[in-house]
């Protein structure tokens, strides 16, 4: 049971990106955009086995997470990867692994001191 007295912890951009990447269809959409380049919803629906409305909903989530951007061309939007959206996750992972490696180095140092 979760206490109602817990402080609110705001989400961070990396969390939004990780949440967006948690869905296999969204990962497929990103991979398709990476492989084929900018595309309309109709173009993505030809390559990804879901409906146009579903593609649009997934693109909305990816856009809010900063992973895709779009540009209006006439009556349709053309979507493309926004690689800057992955920067937050990359920074978070770098910090995570940096902290893990620092902790390991400290463990090795302490172990070596104990063996002397």
């Amino acid at each position: 049971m979760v206490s109602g007295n817990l402080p609110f912890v705001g989400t961070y951009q990396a969390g939004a990106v990780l949440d967006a990447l948690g869905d296999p269809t969204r990962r497929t959409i990103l991979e398709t955009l990476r492989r084929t380049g900018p595309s309309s919803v109709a173009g993505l629906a030809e390559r990804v086995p879901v409906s146009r409305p579903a593609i649009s909903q997934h693109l909305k989530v990816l856009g809010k997470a900063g992973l895709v951007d779009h540009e209006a061309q006439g009556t349709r939007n053309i979507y493309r990867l926004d690689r800057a959206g992955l920067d937050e996750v990359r920074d978070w992972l770098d910090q995570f692994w940096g902290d893990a490696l620092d902790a390991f180095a400290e463990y090795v140092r302490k172990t070596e001191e104990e063996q002397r």
Side-chain angles (χ1 to χ4, degrees):
M1 185 159 141
V2 177
S3 170
N5 296 326
L6 292 174
F8 173 74
V9 178
T11 59
Y12 52 98
Q13 183 63 23
V17 173
L18 291 172
D19 287 345
L21 293 174
D23 184 273
T25 301
R26 288 194 281 270
R27 291 193 307 269
T28 300
I29 291 169
L30 287 175
E31 179 61 24
T32 301
L33 288 171
R34 186 194 65 77
R35 210 173 353 94
T36 64
S39 181
S40 66
V41 171
L44 286 167
E46 291 173 1
R47 295 177 181 96
V48 180
V50 293
S51 67
R52 285 184 191 185
I55 295 282
S56 293
Q57 290 298 315
H58 286 299
L59 286 168
K60 185 176 180 179
V61 172
L62 292 168
K64 284 184 178 182
L67 292 169
V68 297
D69 194 8
H70 70 277
E71 170 186 335
Q73 287 186 359
T75 59
R76 61 189 190 153
N77 289 322
I78 303 299
Y79 292 86
R80 71 182 51 76
L81 286 180
D82 185 351
R83 294 182 190 275
L86 292 173
D87 288 344
E88 289 279 336
V89 173
R90 190 175 296 119
D91 291 345
W92 179 79
L93 287 171
D94 287 346
Q95 287 178 332
F96 176 83
W97 286 115
D99 291 347
L101 291 173
D102 289 346
F104 180 70
E106 179 64 18
Y107 170 78
V108 169
R109 185 189 62 75
K110 285 182 178 179
T111 302
E112 287 177 345
E113 285 178 2
E114 290 171 2
Q115 290 177 352
R116 290 183 198 162

